[in-house]
Amino acid sequence: MIVVLMGVCGCGKSTVGEWLARKRAVPFYDGDKFHPPENVEKMRAGIPLTDADRRPWLGLLNEKMRAWNLGGEGRVAALLGCSALRRAYRERLSAGLDGQVFFLHLHGSKELLAERMGARRGHYMPPGLLDSQLATLEPPGADEFAAACGIEGEPDEMSRRADGVLEALGLW
């Protein structure tokens, strides 16, 4: 089982993923680190990625997820932070891993997301791309293997909340 921490920029995918990795002794992979240099440069320049830009990146993440999914039935083998903004992206990520990819949608208000993006340092994603990400976002539907988790509060509080959602669903 792979748990994908998904959501728009600034929602805390890396923060929650690193916290869960420490607590649960499961590896965390940051999907942003797998973007090709061209994608990073586009985002750094404030240019939103297109579906064509994302296609090879999502394919690479799917390949990686297949390799990481070594935990056995029902056991979380790895965590992945990935925006997974559209249903089609989530379908590409989980292709060939039927029932083995769970999406935890980290979400919050536009104001909170903008505040967090403005406070972070050293990330290539400029706050100006938040509107584009919010416009692209298709929250998981009731028919998807997914749940939602609010990002309000301090990092530890938000991470404990995400852990509780996964625990309540029997994923740990």
Side-chain angles (χ1 to χ4, degrees):
M1 170 84 55
I2 305 289
V3 172
V4 177
L5 303 166
M6 63 157 288
V8 299
C9 49
C11 72
K13 297 179 290 286
S14 296
T15 299
V16 171
E18 290 167 2
W19 190 96
L20 290 172
R22 282 191 305 275
K23 178 176 183 189
R24 298 293 184 166
V26 174
F28 169 70
Y29 301 96
D30 186 342
D32 285 345
K33 295 190 184 330
F34 296 95
H35 270 296
E38 308 82 51
N39 285 7
V40 173
E41 288 311 310
K42 278 184 87 168
M43 289 183 280
R44 185 174 278 128
I47 302 168
L49 296 181
T50 65
D51 286 353
D53 294 326
R54 288 184 177 100
R55 193 170 297 114
W57 172 64
L58 294 168
L60 174 62
L61 290 176
N62 175 265
E63 289 174 26
K64 297 288 185 186
M65 289 168 59
R66 289 168 185 261
W68 302 332
N69 193 31
L70 302 174
E73 189 66 34
R75 179 174 178 332
V76 175
L79 303 159
L80 172 67
C82 176
S83 55
L85 298 174
R86 293 182 192 237
R87 177 185 285 260
Y89 302 165
R90 295 187 291 275
E91 289 171 353
R92 178 65 183 114
L93 283 167
S94 59
L97 291 162
D98 298 336
Q100 292 297 303
V101 180
F102 182 81
F103 294 93
L104 185 61
H105 178 205
L106 303 176
H107 66 91
S109 70
K110 179 180 176 180
E111 295 76 23
L112 178 57
L113 293 162
E115 177 184 318
R116 290 190 177 168
M117 287 186 73
R120 65 185 184 183
R121 302 289 173 250
H123 198 283
Y124 58 79
M125 178 72 87
L129 286 179
L130 178 57
D131 285 336
S132 168
Q133 292 229 318
L134 289 168
T136 302
L137 177 65
E138 296 172 356
D143 61 331
E144 292 183 73
F145 192 35
C149 182
I151 62 167
E152 300 75 22
E154 295 300 316
D156 279 354
E157 179 185 350
M158 153 175 95
S159 299
R160 282 192 300 275
R161 186 179 309 114
D163 187 48
V165 169
L166 296 173
E167 177 102 35
L169 292 169
L171 295 176
W172 291 125

